[in-house]
Amino acid sequence: MIQQSVRRPVRQPLRRSVRRCWHSATGIGSVSTAGYLRRQLLWLLTLTTLAVTALFSAYHEVHRDTLAISDRTGPAVVELARAHTLLAMAHTTAGKHIAGLTENPREPDILSYSDDYASLLNEARQSLDRAGRTNALGREDRQKLRIVSGLVDGYAKWIDGAQTRYREPVLSLAILSYADEMMSDPSGVLDRIAKLKLTQSEALKRQQEWGIAPWLTWPIAVVSCLLLGVRLVGIQFFLRRRFRLRLSIPLAAVTLLLAALPVLGFGTLQAHKYQAAVRDIAAGLEPARPMATIDQAQSHMAKRLSRYDAVGWARVTLFVPLAGVLMAGVVLLTLQSHLAQYTYPRKPGGGRR
């Protein structure tokens, strides 16, 4: 009995609020037609503006990150991981080649280590260049990348020097040792690339996470669209009752546009799934991963992009403000025409009364 008595006072104000909202939307009660239409025009334009603004903010926030991940951050992580692996392979190859030459200076270089090293080094440089051209790196990181590229050039010169002096084993191995420090020390080339890759992985993680804005703006957008839908349906009842109009097609079209809300919500979830998938793939690209793993990761990113149609959903962002302008224009023209029809009723001959 106590629980029922508690529920009733809670339900009754809620029912009264719903009833009052419906009466306001449909114009039930003693209300003038002109006054109702003016109030509804103000309500509809306000709710449309609020809904479109909140929806655009929520949708744009997520899909802007999608484009950043697909065009910049994701490729940067892959290229930095590839450059790290290629340079490690090139250094190992060069070390074996020079060690073989110093031990057997009179035997021919039948293993072609030199060609393999040059190919790997060239591919690593290209990966570093592609990472810089993604525009994912900030100003400070771009400067660090330029330093890395300079160190790679310096490293290549030391390797060339060690190779040309292979007939002097002590000197050649000493030069190779210095090149090894440039490549493998804690402040060497590989370490610097790993830190740059870690920075981009952290940026990708931040882009994937939903900030405060979507959690605030999506509820506002949903509530505003629901209230807008109630008002649009209510005005149809009013027009049928006062104007003997079965259905206002322009207002019905505006109401149908509200069905885009769940579609956009689905698109946002698809984009979020893509972002989470890329984050997980990038997390597996630890330093010194095999080239096959890196190529596979790049392929997986491309497949996830296609699977969730992340770029396609991002392009829909422009639809939101355009739809808002269209809805507001249709509402304004339709209600103004009814206001003019009611305020200045026409004579049978076509003139004003």
Side-chain angles (χ1 to χ4, degrees), residues 138-157:
R139 182 177 180 180
E140 184 178 351
D141 287 339
R142 287 197 302 271
Q143 179 63 28
K144 291 179 180 178
L145 186 63
R146 284 193 288 269
I147 293 174
V148 168
S149 298
L151 289 174
V152 170
D153 293 339
Y155 164 82
K157 290 179 181 178

Side-chain angles (χ1 to χ4, degrees), residues 23-43:
H23 287 177
S24 174
T26 57
I28 296 176
S30 56
V31 59
S32 67
T33 301
Y36 169 83
L37 291 175
R38 292 191 183 99
R39 283 195 299 273
Q40 291 307 305
L41 179 59
L42 180 61
W43 267 109

Side-chain angles (χ1 to χ4, degrees), residues 2-77:
I2 296 177
Q3 290 182 350
Q4 291 180 355
S5 62
V6 172
R7 289 176 182 174
R8 286 176 182 174
V10 174
R11 290 178 179 176
Q12 288 177 357
L14 180 61
R15 289 175 179 174
R16 283 197 296 267
S17 299
V18 172
R19 189 181 302 112
R20 192 180 299 113
C21 178
W22 179 246
H23 287 177
S24 174
T26 57
I28 296 176
S30 56
V31 59
S32 67
T33 301
Y36 169 83
L37 291 175
R38 292 191 183 99
R39 283 195 299 273
Q40 291 307 305
L41 179 59
L42 180 61
W43 267 109
L44 292 176
L45 293 179
T46 301
L47 288 173
T48 300
T49 302
L50 181 61
V52 171
T53 302
L55 185 58
F56 177 76
S57 176
Y59 196 79
H60 176 66
E61 182 79 15
V62 175
H63 293 276
R64 178 187 59 188
D65 292 336
T66 293
L67 293 177
I69 289 172
S70 63
D71 296 341
R72 297 188 289 276
T73 317
V77 170

Side-chain angles (χ1 to χ4, degrees), residues 113-271:
Y113 276 123
S114 181
D115 292 340
D116 292 341
Y117 156 77
S119 176
L120 291 169
L121 187 66
N122 185 53
E123 289 181 25
R125 284 169 167 162
Q126 292 177 4
S127 290
L128 291 174
D129 181 63
R130 285 193 294 267
R133 286 190 282 110
T134 60
N135 294 324
L137 282 69
R139 182 177 180 180
E140 184 178 351
D141 287 339
R142 287 197 302 271
Q143 179 63 28
K144 291 179 180 178
L145 186 63
R146 284 193 288 269
I147 293 174
V148 168
S149 298
L151 289 174
V152 170
D153 293 339
Y155 164 82
K157 290 179 181 178
W158 285 107
I159 291 294
D160 291 342
Q163 181 176 348
T164 56
R165 291 174 173 81
Y166 70 92
R167 295 184 183 276
E168 304 173 68
V170 176
L171 179 58
S172 179
L173 293 177
I175 296 174
L176 178 62
S177 176
Y178 185 74
D180 181 69
E181 291 180 2
M182 289 185 65
M183 183 62 66
S184 305
D185 269 10
S187 59
V189 173
L190 295 179
D191 181 69
R192 291 171 184 265
I193 294 176
K195 288 179 179 177
L196 285 172
K197 186 261 178 188
L198 179 61
T199 300
Q200 291 306 305
S201 295
E202 291 174 349
L204 194 153
K205 184 178 180 181
R206 288 193 302 271
Q207 291 167 345
Q208 180 269 331
E209 293 175 347
W210 279 15
I212 297 176
W215 291 109
L216 293 177
T217 50
W218 266 110
I220 295 174
V222 171
V223 172
S224 300
C225 286
L226 287 176
L227 292 176
L228 182 60
V230 171
R231 291 275 169 182
L232 287 169
V233 172
I235 202 170
Q236 294 281 9
F237 281 94
F238 182 86
L239 293 176
R240 178 180 296 182
R241 188 172 64 252
R242 293 289 177 93
F243 288 80
R244 300 294 187 267
L245 184 65
R246 286 191 174 184
L247 181 69
S248 173
I249 295 178
L251 293 180
V254 171
T255 308
L256 287 177
L257 277 176
L258 295 177
L261 180 66
V263 176
L264 295 177
F266 175 76
T268 301
L269 291 177
Q270 290 292 95

